[in-house]
mmCIF file of all heavy atoms in Angstrom:
data_model
loop_
_atom_site.group_PDB
_atom_site.id
_atom_site.type_symbol
_atom_site.label_atom_id
_atom_site.label_comp_id
_atom_site.label_asym_id
_atom_site.label_seq_id
_atom_site.Cartn_x
_atom_site.Cartn_y
_atom_site.Cartn_z
ATOM 1 N N PRO A 1 3.621 0.772 -11.978
ATOM 2 C CA PRO A 1 3.907 2.161 -11.551
ATOM 3 C C PRO A 1 3.317 2.473 -10.066
ATOM 4 O O PRO A 1 3.655 3.573 -9.587
ATOM 5 C CB PRO A 1 3.141 3.089 -12.530
ATOM 6 C CG PRO A 1 2.862 2.194 -13.650
ATOM 7 C CD PRO A 1 2.647 0.795 -13.085
ATOM 8 N N TYR A 2 2.707 1.548 -9.384
ATOM 9 C CA TYR A 2 1.975 1.835 -8.229
ATOM 10 C C TYR A 2 2.683 1.279 -6.927
ATOM 11 O O TYR A 2 2.247 1.647 -5.857
ATOM 12 C CB TYR A 2 0.569 1.396 -8.321
ATOM 13 C CG TYR A 2 -0.217 2.160 -9.299
ATOM 14 C CD1 TYR A 2 -0.350 1.674 -10.633
ATOM 15 C CD2 TYR A 2 -0.954 3.327 -8.996
ATOM 16 C CE1 TYR A 2 -1.057 2.424 -11.646
ATOM 17 C CE2 TYR A 2 -1.758 4.045 -9.974
ATOM 18 C CZ TYR A 2 -1.745 3.587 -11.259
ATOM 19 O OH TYR A 2 -2.473 4.213 -12.193
ATOM 20 N N HIS A 3 3.631 0.310 -7.137
ATOM 21 C CA HIS A 3 4.111 -0.210 -5.852
ATOM 22 C C HIS A 3 5.366 0.480 -5.364
ATOM 23 O O HIS A 3 6.113 1.026 -6.079
ATOM 24 C CB HIS A 3 4.460 -1.760 -6.214
ATOM 25 C CG HIS A 3 5.656 -2.015 -7.064
ATOM 26 N ND1 HIS A 3 7.004 -1.956 -6.666
ATOM 27 C CD2 HIS A 3 5.727 -2.373 -8.377
ATOM 28 C CE1 HIS A 3 7.812 -2.180 -7.608
ATOM 29 N NE2 HIS A 3 7.063 -2.471 -8.674
ATOM 30 N N VAL A 4 5.524 0.239 -4.054
ATOM 31 C CA VAL A 4 6.702 0.859 -3.340
ATOM 32 C C VAL A 4 7.942 0.094 -3.771
ATOM 33 O O VAL A 4 7.884 -1.101 -3.941
ATOM 34 C CB VAL A 4 6.511 0.757 -1.790
ATOM 35 C CG1 VAL A 4 7.616 1.264 -1.112
ATOM 36 C CG2 VAL A 4 5.157 1.402 -1.335
ATOM 37 N N TYR A 5 9.046 0.809 -3.898
ATOM 38 C CA TYR A 5 10.320 0.124 -4.313
ATOM 39 C C TYR A 5 11.482 0.805 -3.704
ATOM 40 O O TYR A 5 11.348 2.009 -3.165
ATOM 41 C CB TYR A 5 10.439 -0.035 -5.736
ATOM 42 C CG TYR A 5 10.619 1.347 -6.520
ATOM 43 C CD1 TYR A 5 11.852 1.825 -6.805
ATOM 44 C CD2 TYR A 5 9.487 2.064 -6.833
ATOM 45 C CE1 TYR A 5 12.012 3.027 -7.496
ATOM 46 C CE2 TYR A 5 9.714 3.278 -7.555
ATOM 47 C CZ TYR A 5 10.927 3.824 -7.866
ATOM 48 O OH TYR A 5 11.074 4.994 -8.508
ATOM 49 N N VAL A 6 12.671 0.134 -3.682
ATOM 50 C CA VAL A 6 13.831 0.774 -3.164
ATOM 51 C C VAL A 6 14.716 1.013 -4.415
ATOM 52 O O VAL A 6 15.060 0.142 -5.200
ATOM 53 C CB VAL A 6 14.625 -0.226 -2.209
ATOM 54 C CG1 VAL A 6 15.886 0.415 -1.735
ATOM 55 C CG2 VAL A 6 13.667 -0.546 -0.994
ATOM 56 N N ASN A 7 15.236 2.325 -4.525
ATOM 57 C CA ASN A 7 16.099 2.658 -5.671
ATOM 58 C C ASN A 7 17.609 2.239 -5.494
ATOM 59 O O ASN A 7 17.918 1.736 -4.413
ATOM 60 C CB ASN A 7 15.900 4.106 -6.109
ATOM 61 C CG ASN A 7 16.551 4.977 -4.963
ATOM 62 O OD1 ASN A 7 17.256 4.579 -4.122
ATOM 63 N ND2 ASN A 7 16.149 6.315 -5.116
ATOM 64 N N ASP A 8 18.357 2.485 -6.427
ATOM 65 C CA ASP A 8 19.758 2.127 -6.331
ATOM 66 C C ASP A 8 20.565 2.763 -5.284
ATOM 67 O O ASP A 8 21.535 2.312 -4.838
ATOM 68 C CB ASP A 8 20.460 2.301 -7.711
ATOM 69 C CG ASP A 8 19.910 1.512 -8.806
ATOM 70 O OD1 ASP A 8 19.395 0.453 -8.500
ATOM 71 O OD2 ASP A 8 20.085 1.848 -10.011
ATOM 72 N N GLU A 9 20.040 3.893 -4.773
ATOM 73 C CA GLU A 9 20.717 4.633 -3.738
ATOM 74 C C GLU A 9 20.179 4.083 -2.334
ATOM 75 O O GLU A 9 20.572 4.695 -1.194
ATOM 76 C CB GLU A 9 20.472 6.100 -3.819
ATOM 77 C CG GLU A 9 21.235 6.740 -4.925
ATOM 78 C CD GLU A 9 20.681 6.395 -6.321
ATOM 79 O OE1 GLU A 9 19.458 6.382 -6.490
ATOM 80 O OE2 GLU A 9 21.396 6.084 -7.258
ATOM 81 N N GLY A 10 19.268 3.189 -2.278
ATOM 82 C CA GLY A 10 18.724 2.588 -1.106
ATOM 83 C C GLY A 10 17.588 3.424 -0.560
ATOM 84 O O GLY A 10 17.163 3.109 0.593
ATOM 85 N N GLU A 11 17.040 4.375 -1.347
ATOM 86 C CA GLU A 11 15.852 5.174 -0.883
ATOM 87 C C GLU A 11 14.529 4.425 -1.218
ATOM 88 O O GLU A 11 14.408 3.800 -2.243
ATOM 89 C CB GLU A 11 15.953 6.518 -1.559
ATOM 90 C CG GLU A 11 17.167 7.350 -1.315
ATOM 91 C CD GLU A 11 17.227 8.521 -2.342
ATOM 92 O OE1 GLU A 11 16.943 8.394 -3.500
ATOM 93 O OE2 GLU A 11 17.658 9.577 -1.859
ATOM 94 N N VAL A 12 13.684 4.511 -0.200
ATOM 95 C CA VAL A 12 12.337 3.995 -0.338
ATOM 96 C C VAL A 12 11.539 4.974 -1.213
ATOM 97 O O VAL A 12 11.288 5.973 -0.628
ATOM 98 C CB VAL A 12 11.699 3.605 0.965
ATOM 99 C CG1 VAL A 12 10.275 3.137 0.728
ATOM 100 C CG2 VAL A 12 12.394 2.544 1.732
ATOM 101 N N ILE A 13 11.001 4.486 -2.302
ATOM 102 C CA ILE A 13 10.256 5.371 -3.154
ATOM 103 C C ILE A 13 8.719 4.909 -3.062
ATOM 104 O O ILE A 13 8.386 3.671 -3.372
ATOM 105 C CB ILE A 13 10.707 5.282 -4.645
ATOM 106 C CG1 ILE A 13 12.174 5.592 -4.757
ATOM 107 C CG2 ILE A 13 9.798 6.182 -5.478
ATOM 108 C CD1 ILE A 13 12.507 6.898 -4.227
ATOM 109 N N LYS A 14 7.798 5.791 -2.734
ATOM 110 C CA LYS A 14 6.459 5.493 -2.599
ATOM 111 C C LYS A 14 5.666 6.346 -3.692
ATOM 112 O O LYS A 14 5.660 7.578 -3.570
ATOM 113 C CB LYS A 14 5.847 5.871 -1.261
ATOM 114 C CG LYS A 14 6.457 5.055 -0.091
ATOM 115 C CD LYS A 14 5.793 5.385 1.197
ATOM 116 C CE LYS A 14 6.414 4.584 2.325
ATOM 117 N NZ LYS A 14 5.769 4.763 3.660
ATOM 118 N N PRO A 15 5.335 5.746 -4.733
ATOM 119 C CA PRO A 15 4.744 6.494 -5.864
ATOM 120 C C PRO A 15 3.463 7.241 -5.463
ATOM 121 O O PRO A 15 2.744 6.767 -4.515
ATOM 122 C CB PRO A 15 4.353 5.323 -6.854
ATOM 123 C CG PRO A 15 5.166 4.224 -6.529
ATOM 124 C CD PRO A 15 5.395 4.298 -5.099
ATOM 125 N N GLU A 16 3.281 8.457 -5.931
ATOM 126 C CA GLU A 16 2.109 9.126 -5.565
ATOM 127 C C GLU A 16 1.070 8.992 -6.687
ATOM 128 O O GLU A 16 1.366 8.954 -7.868
ATOM 129 C CB GLU A 16 2.469 10.729 -5.550
ATOM 130 C CG GLU A 16 3.523 11.052 -4.452
ATOM 131 C CD GLU A 16 3.646 12.542 -4.308
ATOM 132 O OE1 GLU A 16 3.076 13.270 -4.975
ATOM 133 O OE2 GLU A 16 4.582 12.906 -3.480
ATOM 134 N N PHE A 17 -0.119 8.725 -6.260
ATOM 135 C CA PHE A 17 -1.277 8.573 -7.144
ATOM 136 C C PHE A 17 -2.530 8.879 -6.385
ATOM 137 O O PHE A 17 -2.579 9.053 -5.174
ATOM 138 C CB PHE A 17 -1.292 7.109 -7.714
ATOM 139 C CG PHE A 17 -1.274 6.089 -6.594
ATOM 140 C CD1 PHE A 17 -2.298 5.646 -5.831
ATOM 141 C CD2 PHE A 17 0.029 5.474 -6.378
ATOM 142 C CE1 PHE A 17 -2.183 4.614 -4.927
ATOM 143 C CE2 PHE A 17 0.162 4.521 -5.304
ATOM 144 C CZ PHE A 17 -0.961 4.125 -4.707
ATOM 145 N N GLU A 18 -3.589 8.992 -7.078
ATOM 146 C CA GLU A 18 -4.919 9.332 -6.537
ATOM 147 C C GLU A 18 -5.417 8.097 -5.865
ATOM 148 O O GLU A 18 -5.450 6.966 -6.460
ATOM 149 C CB GLU A 18 -5.996 9.865 -7.562
ATOM 150 C CG GLU A 18 -7.275 10.403 -7.010
ATOM 151 C CD GLU A 18 -8.036 11.047 -8.118
ATOM 152 O OE1 GLU A 18 -7.631 11.199 -9.174
ATOM 153 O OE2 GLU A 18 -9.180 11.409 -7.722
ATOM 154 N N GLY A 19 -5.941 8.149 -4.659
ATOM 155 C CA GLY A 19 -6.385 6.979 -3.868
ATOM 156 C C GLY A 19 -7.680 6.482 -4.441
ATOM 157 O O GLY A 19 -8.434 7.230 -5.105
ATOM 158 N N PRO A 20 -8.051 5.230 -4.093
ATOM 159 C CA PRO A 20 -9.333 4.646 -4.412
ATOM 160 C C PRO A 20 -10.502 5.314 -3.735
ATOM 161 O O PRO A 20 -10.400 5.955 -2.664
ATOM 162 C CB PRO A 20 -9.205 3.226 -4.008
ATOM 163 C CG PRO A 20 -8.130 3.216 -2.946
ATOM 164 C CD PRO A 20 -7.185 4.209 -3.263
ATOM 165 N N ASP A 21 -11.681 5.269 -4.286
ATOM 166 C CA ASP A 21 -12.847 5.830 -3.671
ATOM 167 C C ASP A 21 -14.013 4.975 -3.415
ATOM 168 O O ASP A 21 -14.989 5.292 -2.919
ATOM 169 C CB ASP A 21 -13.370 7.070 -4.577
ATOM 170 C CG ASP A 21 -13.379 6.847 -6.036
ATOM 171 O OD1 ASP A 21 -13.535 5.635 -6.359
ATOM 172 O OD2 ASP A 21 -13.171 7.819 -6.851
ATOM 173 N N ILE A 22 -13.892 3.627 -3.877
ATOM 174 C CA ILE A 22 -14.849 2.650 -3.584
ATOM 175 C C ILE A 22 -14.551 2.182 -2.117
ATOM 176 O O ILE A 22 -13.465 1.680 -1.851
ATOM 177 C CB ILE A 22 -14.855 1.493 -4.549
ATOM 178 C CG1 ILE A 22 -15.324 1.984 -5.902
ATOM 179 C CG2 ILE A 22 -15.766 0.369 -4.018
ATOM 180 C CD1 ILE A 22 -15.339 0.929 -6.997
ATOM 181 N N PRO A 23 -15.477 2.280 -1.134
ATOM 182 C CA PRO A 23 -15.204 1.925 0.191
ATOM 183 C C PRO A 23 -15.028 0.334 0.334
ATOM 184 O O PRO A 23 -15.626 -0.443 -0.389
ATOM 185 C CB PRO A 23 -16.458 2.336 0.982
ATOM 186 C CG PRO A 23 -17.488 2.354 -0.092
ATOM 187 C CD PRO A 23 -16.837 2.838 -1.400
ATOM 188 N N VAL A 24 -14.116 0.006 1.165
ATOM 189 C CA VAL A 24 -13.738 -1.333 1.445
ATOM 190 C C VAL A 24 -14.083 -1.598 2.990
ATOM 191 O O VAL A 24 -13.703 -0.779 3.791
ATOM 192 C CB VAL A 24 -12.292 -1.652 1.164
ATOM 193 C CG1 VAL A 24 -11.898 -3.098 1.567
ATOM 194 C CG2 VAL A 24 -11.913 -1.456 -0.264
ATOM 195 N N ILE A 25 -14.675 -2.761 3.258
ATOM 196 C CA ILE A 25 -14.922 -3.071 4.609
ATOM 197 C C ILE A 25 -14.390 -4.483 4.840
ATOM 198 O O ILE A 25 -14.518 -5.427 4.011
ATOM 199 C CB ILE A 25 -16.517 -3.122 4.971
ATOM 200 C CG1 ILE A 25 -17.122 -1.732 4.845
ATOM 201 C CG2 ILE A 25 -16.710 -3.690 6.410
ATOM 202 C CD1 ILE A 25 -18.500 -1.605 5.012
ATOM 203 N N ILE A 26 -13.668 -4.708 5.876
ATOM 204 C CA ILE A 26 -12.892 -5.948 6.051
ATOM 205 C C ILE A 26 -13.256 -6.607 7.323
ATOM 206 O O ILE A 26 -13.310 -6.041 8.479
ATOM 207 C CB ILE A 26 -11.406 -5.599 6.186
ATOM 208 C CG1 ILE A 26 -10.944 -5.000 4.881
ATOM 209 C CG2 ILE A 26 -10.615 -6.797 6.526
ATOM 210 C CD1 ILE A 26 -9.418 -4.584 4.818
ATOM 211 N N CYS A 27 -13.470 -7.944 7.166
ATOM 212 C CA CYS A 27 -13.852 -8.881 8.319
ATOM 213 C C CYS A 27 -12.660 -9.854 8.336
ATOM 214 O O CYS A 27 -12.727 -10.901 7.711
ATOM 215 C CB CYS A 27 -15.203 -9.579 8.105
ATOM 216 S SG CYS A 27 -16.631 -8.507 7.729
ATOM 217 N N PRO A 28 -11.695 -9.671 9.204
ATOM 218 C CA PRO A 28 -10.526 -10.523 9.262
ATOM 219 C C PRO A 28 -10.759 -11.798 10.009
ATOM 220 O O PRO A 28 -11.531 -11.756 11.023
ATOM 221 C CB PRO A 28 -9.427 -9.656 10.007
ATOM 222 C CG PRO A 28 -10.250 -8.770 10.907
ATOM 223 C CD PRO A 28 -11.577 -8.450 10.144
ATOM 224 N N THR A 29 -10.223 -12.889 9.563
ATOM 225 C CA THR A 29 -10.225 -14.166 10.308
ATOM 226 C C THR A 29 -8.958 -14.597 10.822
ATOM 227 O O THR A 29 -8.790 -15.664 11.404
ATOM 228 C CB THR A 29 -10.784 -15.212 9.412
ATOM 229 O OG1 THR A 29 -9.989 -15.364 8.272
ATOM 230 C CG2 THR A 29 -12.270 -14.803 8.918
ATOM 231 N N THR A 30 -7.833 -13.768 10.685
ATOM 232 C CA THR A 30 -6.553 -14.075 11.233
ATOM 233 C C THR A 30 -6.060 -12.812 11.923
ATOM 234 O O THR A 30 -6.817 -11.841 12.105
ATOM 235 C CB THR A 30 -5.542 -14.493 10.163
ATOM 236 O OG1 THR A 30 -5.425 -13.414 9.178
ATOM 237 C CG2 THR A 30 -6.005 -15.710 9.332
ATOM 238 N N LEU A 31 -4.794 -12.865 12.401
ATOM 239 C CA LEU A 31 -4.314 -11.784 13.271
ATOM 240 C C LEU A 31 -3.198 -10.974 12.749
ATOM 241 O O LEU A 31 -2.456 -10.268 13.513
ATOM 242 C CB LEU A 31 -3.910 -12.448 14.635
ATOM 243 C CG LEU A 31 -5.092 -13.127 15.436
ATOM 244 C CD1 LEU A 31 -4.500 -13.838 16.553
ATOM 245 C CD2 LEU A 31 -6.009 -11.959 16.034
ATOM 246 N N SER A 32 -2.900 -11.032 11.393
ATOM 247 C CA SER A 32 -1.756 -10.292 10.918
ATOM 248 C C SER A 32 -1.886 -8.776 11.048
ATOM 249 O O SER A 32 -1.048 -8.030 10.905
ATOM 250 C CB SER A 32 -1.497 -10.655 9.496
ATOM 251 O OG SER A 32 -2.575 -10.505 8.665
ATOM 252 N N GLY A 33 -3.152 -8.265 11.106
ATOM 253 C CA GLY A 33 -3.446 -6.835 11.347
ATOM 254 C C GLY A 33 -3.510 -5.967 10.109
ATOM 255 O O GLY A 33 -3.682 -4.789 10.218
ATOM 256 N N GLY A 34 -3.291 -6.549 8.888
ATOM 257 C CA GLY A 34 -3.238 -5.826 7.697
ATOM 258 C C GLY A 34 -4.566 -5.122 7.360
ATOM 259 O O GLY A 34 -4.631 -4.128 6.550
ATOM 260 N N GLU A 35 -5.700 -5.525 8.068
ATOM 261 C CA GLU A 35 -6.978 -4.910 7.894
ATOM 262 C C GLU A 35 -6.956 -3.432 8.223
ATOM 263 O O GLU A 35 -7.747 -2.619 7.659
ATOM 264 C CB GLU A 35 -8.122 -5.644 8.533
ATOM 265 C CG GLU A 35 -7.896 -5.719 10.100
ATOM 266 C CD GLU A 35 -7.111 -6.923 10.501
ATOM 267 O OE1 GLU A 35 -6.451 -7.602 9.603
ATOM 268 O OE2 GLU A 35 -7.145 -7.196 11.754
ATOM 269 N N PHE A 36 -6.025 -2.976 9.052
ATOM 270 C CA PHE A 36 -5.955 -1.575 9.508
ATOM 271 C C PHE A 36 -5.021 -0.797 8.772
ATOM 272 O O PHE A 36 -4.893 0.418 8.946
ATOM 273 C CB PHE A 36 -5.604 -1.538 11.009
ATOM 274 C CG PHE A 36 -6.741 -2.170 11.848
ATOM 275 C CD1 PHE A 36 -6.573 -3.401 12.356
ATOM 276 C CD2 PHE A 36 -7.885 -1.421 12.194
ATOM 277 C CE1 PHE A 36 -7.571 -3.999 13.233
ATOM 278 C CE2 PHE A 36 -8.852 -1.953 12.948
ATOM 279 C CZ PHE A 36 -8.682 -3.275 13.501
ATOM 280 N N ASN A 37 -4.213 -1.368 7.904
ATOM 281 C CA ASN A 37 -3.113 -0.830 7.277
ATOM 282 C C ASN A 37 -3.441 -0.297 5.897
ATOM 283 O O ASN A 37 -4.052 -0.946 5.078
ATOM 284 C CB ASN A 37 -1.938 -1.766 7.158
ATOM 285 C CG ASN A 37 -0.574 -1.197 6.978
ATOM 286 O OD1 ASN A 37 -0.559 -0.082 6.625
ATOM 287 N ND2 ASN A 37 0.357 -2.090 7.115
ATOM 288 N N PRO A 38 -2.996 0.973 5.590
ATOM 289 C CA PRO A 38 -3.213 1.457 4.129
ATOM 290 C C PRO A 38 -2.102 0.848 3.174
ATOM 291 O O PRO A 38 -2.221 1.093 2.036
ATOM 292 C CB PRO A 38 -2.962 2.976 4.257
ATOM 293 C CG PRO A 38 -2.090 3.021 5.444
ATOM 294 C CD PRO A 38 -2.413 1.997 6.459
ATOM 295 N N LEU A 39 -1.300 0.030 3.700
ATOM 296 C CA LEU A 39 -0.291 -0.735 2.923
ATOM 297 C C LEU A 39 -0.777 -2.120 2.602
ATOM 298 O O LEU A 39 -1.182 -2.851 3.574
ATOM 299 C CB LEU A 39 1.067 -0.749 3.650
ATOM 300 C CG LEU A 39 2.161 -1.591 2.971
ATOM 301 C CD1 LEU A 39 2.654 -0.946 1.677
ATOM 302 C CD2 LEU A 39 3.291 -1.719 4.024
ATOM 303 N N SER A 40 -0.777 -2.529 1.449
ATOM 304 C CA SER A 40 -1.127 -3.889 1.002
ATOM 305 C C SER A 40 -0.018 -4.579 0.260
ATOM 306 O O SER A 40 0.694 -3.843 -0.486
ATOM 307 C CB SER A 40 -2.358 -3.904 0.164
ATOM 308 O OG SER A 40 -3.534 -3.661 0.956
ATOM 309 N N GLY A 41 0.035 -5.894 0.290
ATOM 310 C CA GLY A 41 1.052 -6.595 -0.480
ATOM 311 C C GLY A 41 0.489 -7.492 -1.463
ATOM 312 O O GLY A 41 -0.629 -8.081 -1.321
ATOM 313 N N ALA A 42 1.132 -7.494 -2.659
ATOM 314 C CA ALA A 42 0.775 -8.531 -3.747
ATOM 315 C C ALA A 42 2.013 -8.955 -4.298
ATOM 316 O O ALA A 42 3.061 -8.275 -4.345
ATOM 317 C CB ALA A 42 -0.032 -7.781 -4.775
#
């Protein structure tokens, strides 16, 4: 229920939910830039 998806009409659906509250600190070793993004991929 939490991942972004595209519906049959081609609309991007971003589910609404309460955000996490445990702080995350990131030390990146590559350059993709995802460390700054609130979007994550799995």
Side-chain angles (χ1 to χ4, degrees):
Y2 295 89
H3 71 79
V4 179
Y5 66 95
V6 178
N7 67 15
D8 292 339
E9 288 73 43
E11 300 169 318
V12 175
I13 307 300
K14 297 182 179 181
E16 294 186 9
F17 49 83
E18 192 173 352
D21 43 27
I22 293 178
V24 177
I25 298 178
I26 296 176
C27 307
T29 59
T30 61
L31 294 168
S32 57
E35 58 271 12
F36 294 99
N37 199 344
L39 173 70
S40 286

